[in-house]
Amino acid sequence: MKHVGRLSQREIHRRTGIHRDTIRRALALSEPPSYGPRPPRASKLDPFVPTIEELLADEPTLSGVRIREELEKLGYRGGKTILDDLLRELRPRFLPPPRSFQRTRYRPGELAQFDLCEPRSEIPVGWGQVRRGYVVTCELPYSRAFAGALVFSKEFCDIAFGMMGCLVRLGVLPAKLVWDREGAIAPRGRPTESFLAFCGRLALGWIILDPGDCQAKGALERSHRFLHGNFEAGRRFASPLDFQDQLDGWCDRINARVHRTTRAVVAQRLAEERQPMRPLPANLPDTDRRFVTRVPAQPYLRFDRNDYSLDPLLVGRRVEVRASQAQITAVCLDTGELACRHARVFAGGLCFTDPVHQRALEELRGERRRRRTEPDVERRPLARYDALIPA
């Protein structure tokens, strides 16, 4: 304004409002003025810094309240805020270095992260009952594609059913499965035989995480919070089938969105990720629960807190029971006869009787009653009695 605009100091003062003495001093300088930080003032804590360092060296996690009590005994009369500010600067010097994290980059088709997520509310299962459920969740960390399957126990058969349901919805096989130390997967860091057989059937690798290392599958952990807050909130479920149907629709919707982290449409990255991945085999692993039992005198099978009727004609014979998520079947081992076929019910304390089994049981009971009323007695000829009894 002075040298280019050729303005007077008075005009500069009028336009800027700066005092004329300030303008005069600024124009007299050979270099632009600089304003450095003010010199720090002495603090009331300065005489006590060595004492604070000694206390922290003995116990790095000592609270600020306790440190202040010790300083007050030595004459400290300052406030709490300046002490807390100083502790934020000094305490990290005496603590072990905190855990650091590196940015993780995932390759397409390399991993599939699995976990169990428990819904906040119990699931209606009919007959006026509700039951605690679990959602087997799966996420491909490269594309962020998400899938889930509802189960009602942490046994491996149910978890395997959930894993297969997620992989079928995603439509491909990753190179490795990532699990934490779930009891049915790897209770002590070593995979169970059932989990190894499942991975071997699909030719999959696995990664078992260290204890407490939930950050290793942080992408899925964040999706669990999203599941609770976005899917469960404000929804009502009529049955397990309704829960699974709404969950599948929600997964389709979030897989079509632009992900906040990747800044890309999840479905488009999933299509890109599917190219290096293997397709699902034609014969999928059998996830049904199987066991052998003998048909008791009361021909009923107790499974998952319910009683299911068996063919009473097979009492005393061994049958193989096969329990899926939808059906309970039993087959006689020696002849292959069908012992029962019932729809599986997740409610508890119920008894289901097949009308065919009931009719067969009534017929058997009727035959036994007739045998009691009309016993088979040998009838000898009268000539034998005449020979034994003298005339």
Side-chain angles (χ1 to χ4, degrees):
M1 297 175 73
K2 174 68 176 177
H3 300 289
V4 178
R6 301 296 180 180
L7 300 180
S8 64
Q9 295 183 17
R10 179 174 295 181
E11 182 62 20
I12 295 174
H13 164 70
R14 189 184 66 81
R15 293 189 182 186
T16 62
I18 301 174
H19 197 275
R20 283 181 291 177
D21 293 340
T22 304
I23 296 173
R24 187 180 304 109
R25 287 195 297 268
L27 293 176
L29 295 175
S30 59
E31 297 180 357
S34 61
Y35 301 93
R38 294 180 179 178
R41 295 184 300 175
S43 172
K44 295 180 181 180
L45 274 174
D46 289 346
F48 303 97
V49 171
T51 304
I52 297 175
E53 291 178 345
E54 292 178 2
L55 293 173
L56 291 177
D58 293 338
E59 189 173 350
T61 59
L62 190 63
S63 66
V65 175
R66 285 289 300 117
I67 293 177
R68 186 180 177 188
E69 291 175 356
E70 295 297 324
L71 296 183
E72 287 177 347
K73 296 178 182 178
L74 301 177
Y76 174 66
R77 295 296 178 266
K80 175 179 180 296
T81 303
I82 57 173
L83 176 60
D84 291 342
D85 293 341
L86 180 63
L87 289 176
R88 292 190 190 97
E89 300 295 329
L90 296 181
R91 198 186 297 276
R93 291 163 42 189
F94 300 93
L95 291 172
R99 181 179 178 182
S100 60
F101 300 90
Q102 65 178 3
R103 183 178 296 274
T104 304
R105 297 187 180 276
Y106 300 100
R107 291 188 291 270
E110 182 182 16
L111 300 176
Q113 298 178 358
F114 280 94
D115 202 356
L116 285 178
C117 177
E118 183 176 350
R120 292 176 176 172
S121 58
E122 296 183 329
I123 310 300
V125 290
W127 282 268
Q129 299 182 26
V130 293
R131 184 170 177 177
R132 181 182 184 182
Y134 306 92
V135 178
V136 179
T137 56
C138 173
E139 184 163 346
L140 302 179
Y142 174 78
S143 62
R144 297 301 199 273
F146 182 86
L150 176 67
V151 296
F152 287 97
S153 80
K154 292 185 178 183
E155 297 183 16
F156 182 77
C157 291
D158 289 340
I159 293 179
F161 169 81
M163 287 193 292
M164 280 309 311
C166 294
L167 293 176
V168 168
R169 281 197 61 81
L170 297 175
V172 284
L173 290 176
K176 295 181 180 179
L177 307 182
V178 181
W179 267 100
D180 53 19
R181 301 192 173 197
E182 185 62 43
I185 303 296
R188 296 183 180 179
R190 300 183 61 181
T192 61
E193 293 185 3
S194 301
F195 179 66
L196 291 177
F198 179 87
C199 294
R201 181 65 181 81
L202 295 175
L204 294 173
W206 63 87
I207 297 176
I208 304 300
L209 303 180
D210 295 332
D213 191 16
C214 61
Q215 292 90 347
K217 51 182 177 63
L220 186 55
E221 295 293 341
R222 288 189 293 271
S223 296
H224 284 185
R225 294 195 294 270
F226 190 41
L227 180 72
H228 289 308
N230 191 275
F231 171 67
E232 289 187 63
R235 291 180 185 265
R236 297 293 182 268
F237 308 104
S239 65
L241 292 177
D242 181 46
F243 184 97
Q244 186 64 53
D245 183 65
Q246 293 193 46
L247 178 61
D248 292 341
W250 180 77
C251 291
D252 292 338
R253 187 169 67 255
I254 66 170
N255 288 341
R257 80 191 193 282
V258 177
H259 197 274
R260 184 177 62 180
T261 302
T262 62
R263 304 295 183 183
V265 178
V266 175
Q268 295 178 358
R269 286 176 69 93
L270 177 60
E272 176 187 348
E273 189 172 17
R274 281 175 174 167
Q275 296 178 2
M277 299 174 75
R278 294 176 294 124
L280 292 169
N283 298 323
L284 299 177
D286 184 10
T287 61
D288 295 345
R289 186 180 288 103
R290 294 171 178 263
F291 59 93
V292 176
T293 187
R294 195 177 297 275
V295 179
Q298 292 186 355
Y300 281 87
L301 167 70
R302 171 60 63 92
F303 179 78
D304 195 17
R305 304 177 301 160
N306 292 326
D307 291 329
Y308 300 91
S309 66
L310 296 168
D311 190 347
L313 298 175
L314 301 177
V315 170
R317 297 165 67 178
R318 294 197 308 161
V319 295
E320 181 186 23
V321 181
R322 178 171 181 172
S324 67
Q325 298 294 313
Q327 198 174 68
I328 306 291
T329 58
V331 177
C332 189
L333 284 178
D334 51 3
T335 61
E337 298 177 65
L338 182 65
C340 74
R341 179 181 285 115
H342 295 275
R344 183 175 178 182
V345 176
F346 292 101
L350 303 174
C351 181
F352 301 95
T353 303
D354 192 324
V356 177
H357 298 165
Q358 182 64 33
R359 287 194 298 269
L361 190 60
E362 291 174 355
E363 291 177 1
L364 290 175
R365 288 175 179 173
E367 291 180 2
R368 293 191 184 99
R369 292 193 188 99
R370 287 193 296 271
R371 290 171 186 169
R372 292 195 189 102
T373 57
E374 300 178 2
D376 294 334
V377 179
E378 181 183 0
R379 295 183 180 183
R380 297 180 179 179
L382 293 177
R384 293 187 180 183
Y385 295 99
D386 294 340
L388 293 175
I389 301 174

